[in-house]
Amino acid sequence: MGDFLSYLGRNYADIFSYTIEHIQLLGVSLTLAILIGVPLGIYLTTNEQLAATVLQAASIILTIPSIALFGVMIPILSLVGQGIGFLPAVIALILYSQLPIIRNTYTAINNVDPNIRDAANGLGMTTMQRLLKVEIPNGMPLIMAGIRTATVLSIGIGAIAAFIGSGGLGVLIDMGISRGNQNMIIAGALAISILAIAADFGLKKIQMKFSPKEIQ
Amino acid sequence: MIEFTNVSKTYPGGVKAIDDISLSIGHGEFVVLLGPSGCGKTTLLRMVNQLEELTEGEIAVEGSSIHDLNKIDMRRNIGYVIQSNGLFPNMTIEDNVMVVPAMLGWSKEKKKERFEYLMNLIGMPPETYRKNFPHELSGGQQQRIGVARALAADPPVMLMDEPFGALDPIIRARIQEEFLDIQRTLKKTILFVSHDIDEAIKLADRIVLLKDGKLQQFDRPEELLNRPANEFVSEFVGEDSVLKSLSLYQVQDMKAKLTLPEASDGLDGTVFKHGDSLRYVLSHLLHPTPKPVYFERQEGGLAGPISVAHIEAFVREMTA
Ligand SMILES: Nc1ncnc2c1ncn2[C@@H]1O[C@H](COP(=O)(O)OP(=O)(O)OP(=O)(O)O)[C@@H](O)[C@H]1O
Ligand SMILES: [Mg+2]
């Protein structure tokens, strides 16, 4: 224990910078994942057949082991000179995030009380006004829940992406294993857990803030 | 004002919800769509603001066929109250009520003024409820807000689908009264769905009675009660149709129909005014210890004493 603490004392600056890298990786991939997944989820509510197909595909992606996915991407992305590093990690995280984000958005919009949707139409809202003023705000808790799931999932998978040179907290674990340094592994794992818990907590706060009071 | 011409509606499953209905509804008229569950009331109502498409026929509002109107614009111009009130849970009461004015781009001051006017109209102090959310209100208050929201942009036409449906009888009766008062000042053209004959009698200028999507009778309430067009209508209005109809007639109607005796001594008895309902008069006459009943006369003095026989004679006149 004392050993671990003194390790932390000596290396906190490194640990901190790996954490920042990790957060950057997550920030970029989650932002893109939301920008893709939320509109797609909304669009799917207007197309039942496509919805079934896309949700099926997203489920399958989630079952692919991350190492295998990285392996598949290396030759493909090597064509543009990006076989390893930040880009394949971002792509993988976006893919893994799609299922919770799309599915929750789709369910959230579909579950909006039909009477409320009917009132919105009857009062003369356009489709876009109905989405922005009624459906998305009322679906917000579920949509945010999907984003939270995707975030926690990405924090874990992001650590594995260190194997293909994405940087981040995975590097600590990776190096710890190859050097047989217990403290490094524990520090990496601990930092990842704290990050996941903090992210989940923060997003939950945001979720509460944006939820209609009745739905909370 | 609203003109239905040979309107029919068949749903995709093959259910013929509306079968060849033609109606002409005048300006400022309060028309109640009445009939048993599943007879097509909601469908007929929703075809007016194009929430349901017509299969056949035509509907015109203020002279223009609804097909020629822009859907979004026409809906903003027609007040719509749905059965379950359909308030938006994510918006405050003020935002709910001001949804249509906001879409129409009204100024902040105009919206504020209108909100305050409407809240006072429905008897809910604007400052108390402005920042509340719908779930913080009672069912009756929510339905009133639903009505205020439909009135917000002062539309000439209102479509109301059982707006007072989920209320207990006492609150319901009060809101009906309040709404009649509002209607007397605003003079909207109203299509109002109900499955309650008493509500229809109380509110309607004319009643549309439907069965299986077909029009049974389109008439004033007293006509429906006293001269039912067919077997179904007389069954629907019920065995007590005569009693019900008495609430539609007033002392002045009876004075106009019958020659009533001049009262010699009218001092010890109950005096009814022109506008009093004959139902109250009858109730007085049937009281176990009745006092003599007199009617006020236009020229001064009193008519009476009135007896049950007079009421009988009047009812015979009206149903003849
Ligand atoms: N979207 C729909 N698809 C298929 N059939 C429908 C649809 N909506 C209504 N119907 C059918 O059309 C008929 C009329 O329905 P409608 O809702 O107009 O009745 P209603 O008179 O309003 O009944 P209630 O008093 O129960 O509200 C019913 O037989 C109903 O089952
Ligand atoms: Mg209905």
Side-chain angles (χ1 to χ4, degrees):
Chain A
M1 192 66 192
D3 187 29
F4 178 62
L5 287 180
S6 70
Y7 167 81
L8 283 187
R10 272 179 282 114
N11 295 285
Y12 69 89
D14 279 353
I15 297 172
F16 185 73
S17 73
Y18 285 132
T19 307
I20 295 298
E21 267 180 30
H22 210 95
I23 292 172
Q24 276 169 348
L25 176 63
L26 287 173
V28 172
S29 55
L30 280 171
T31 306
L32 293 173
I34 291 168
L35 289 179
I36 297 166
V38 171
L40 189 55
I42 291 170
Y43 172 73
L44 291 181
T45 58
T46 64
N47 190 335
E48 285 299 318
Q49 263 170 333
L50 188 63
T53 316
V54 170
L55 289 173
Q56 189 70 37
S59 309
I60 292 171
I61 290 174
L62 203 57
T63 63
I64 303 173
S66 42
I67 293 286
L69 187 62
F70 293 138
V72 171
M73 278 194 298
I74 290 172
I76 300 173
L77 291 177
S78 293
L79 298 176
V80 289
Q82 299 277 351
I84 58 167
F86 197 69
L87 185 66
V90 167
I91 292 175
L93 291 187
I94 290 174
L95 286 175
Y96 284 126
S97 299
Q98 290 309 296
L99 182 66
I101 294 178
I102 295 176
R103 190 183 49 201
N104 279 41
T105 305
Y106 173 79
T107 313
I109 302 294
N110 260 351
N111 280 4
V112 168
D113 181 351
N115 288 316
I116 292 174
R117 185 173 297 130
D118 198 58
N121 289 333
L123 292 171
M125 287 193 185
T126 61
T127 307
M128 199 42 99
Q129 285 170 331
R130 194 186 66 213
L131 255 178
L132 294 179
K133 292 187 182 172
V134 177
E135 290 175 332
I136 293 179
N138 286 297
M140 205 49 154
L142 251 185
I143 297 174
M144 281 304 296
I147 292 174
R148 272 167 65 198
T149 308
T151 305
V152 175
L153 192 77
S154 297
I155 289 174
I157 295 173
I160 300 170
F163 284 107
I164 55 162
S166 69
L169 288 165
V171 175
L172 272 179
I173 298 176
D174 190 10
M175 286 196 307
I177 291 171
S178 53
R179 294 182 197 170
N181 184 333
Q182 203 73 338
N183 287 334
M184 270 181 133
I185 298 174
I186 296 174
L190 212 56
I192 287 168
S193 310
I194 292 170
L195 196 58
I197 292 168
D200 194 50
F201 183 79
L203 287 169
K204 191 168 184 172
K205 281 271 173 257
I206 296 175
Q207 176 179 341
M208 298 287 268
K209 194 161 153 29
F210 282 101
S211 303
K213 300 234 160 27
E214 185 180 77
I215 297 170
Q216 280 179 25
Chain B
M1 188 71 190
I2 308 178
E3 194 90 33
F4 296 78
T5 316
N6 304 112
V7 173
S8 293
K9 166 80 187 180
T10 309
Y11 278 109
V15 181
K16 191 147 197 180
I18 292 295
D19 193 354
D20 193 23
I21 286 188
S22 298
L23 300 169
S24 180
I25 292 160
H27 205 282
E29 214 180 350
F30 195 147
V31 171
V32 172
L33 306 179
L34 183 66
S37 188
C39 70
K41 307 178 292 290
T42 298
T43 305
L44 193 61
L45 190 79
R46 289 163 59 87
M47 284 196 283
V48 176
N49 61 357
Q50 303 191 64
L51 288 169
E52 300 291 352
E53 302 211 348
L54 284 77
T55 314
E56 276 168 66
E58 184 167 285
I59 299 177
V61 178
E62 286 183 85
S64 359
S65 163
I66 54 170
H67 291 295
D68 302 335
L69 301 169
N70 174 289
K71 258 189 206 179
I72 301 291
D73 288 341
M74 84 163 302
R75 287 175 186 163
R76 290 176 186 178
N77 238 320
I78 294 180
Y80 180 49
V81 185
I82 71 170
Q83 205 156 348
S84 65
N85 82 53
L87 297 181
F88 303 123
N90 56 309
M91 295 185 196
T92 61
I93 296 306
E94 182 170 25
D95 289 342
N96 262 290
V97 174
M98 289 295 113
V99 163
V100 179
M103 292 192 294
L104 294 174
W106 287 21
S107 73
K108 225 174 162 173
E109 300 79 61
K110 195 172 166 198
K111 277 192 290 185
K112 185 166 184 283
E113 205 174 291
R114 183 70 182 162
F115 175 72
E116 283 161 8
Y117 168 80
L118 288 167
M119 292 300 280
N120 289 321
L121 192 69
I122 58 167
M124 291 170 71
E127 287 320 317
T128 316
Y129 295 102
R130 187 188 295 279
K131 291 281 164 267
N132 278 117
F133 284 87
H135 71 106
E136 295 166 325
L137 268 49
S138 74
Q141 291 171 330
Q142 288 181 14
Q143 291 201 305
R144 275 188 252 187
I145 297 296
V147 172
R149 181 174 68 177
L151 286 167
D154 204 13
V157 178
M158 298 275 285
L159 307 176
M160 310 178 77
D161 197 348
E162 305 202 29
F164 312 135
L167 299 178
D168 68 70
I170 294 171
I171 297 184
R172 190 172 187 186
R174 205 175 65 215
I175 294 190
Q176 286 168 348
E177 291 294 342
E178 286 170 5
F179 186 67
L180 267 182
D181 273 344
I182 293 173
Q183 166 62 1
R184 277 183 205 115
T185 44
L186 300 183
K187 275 287 159 213
K188 303 286 180 192
T189 304
I190 299 176
L191 265 184
F192 184 110
V193 169
S194 176
H195 58 246
D196 176 2
I197 174 91
D198 293 309
E199 181 173 66
I201 291 170
K202 189 167 174 183
L203 299 176
D205 294 324
R206 285 197 288 170
I207 294 174
V208 174
L209 186 57
L210 298 173
K211 181 200 174 206
D212 300 334
K214 292 193 191 68
L215 181 63
Q216 304 298 307
Q217 192 164 357
F218 178 33
D219 235 324
R220 292 183 315 163
E222 52 269 38
E223 295 294 309
L224 208 77
L225 290 167
N226 292 330
R227 297 197 185 81
N230 60 38
E231 195 62 7
F232 172 79
V233 180
S234 57
E235 233 168 77
F236 192 87
V237 297
E239 306 271 338
D240 61 343
S241 63
V242 172
L243 263 188
K244 280 181 181 137
S245 77
L246 280 182
S247 59
L248 291 168
Y249 295 114
Q250 297 160 347
V251 165
Q252 55 197 1
D253 299 316
M254 186 148 149
K255 283 190 301 192
K257 277 281 172 208
L258 304 178
T259 16
L260 300 168
E262 190 108 9
S264 40
D265 60 332
L267 292 173
D268 186 31
T270 314
V271 178
F272 286 91
K273 297 194 172 57
H274 300 294
D276 288 340
S277 144
L278 287 184
R279 197 178 170 122
Y280 293 144
V281 176
L282 180 66
S283 173
H284 257 268
L285 290 170
L286 296 178
H287 199 275
T289 52
K291 281 199 215 162
V293 167
Y294 298 95
F295 289 172
E296 195 181 70
R297 295 178 59 152
Q298 213 101 41
E299 324 73 80
L302 299 171
I306 307 296
S307 68
V308 176
H310 287 114
I311 304 248
E312 242 178 310
F314 176 73
V315 168
R316 221 168 294 129
E317 280 281 314
M318 298 317 296
T319 49

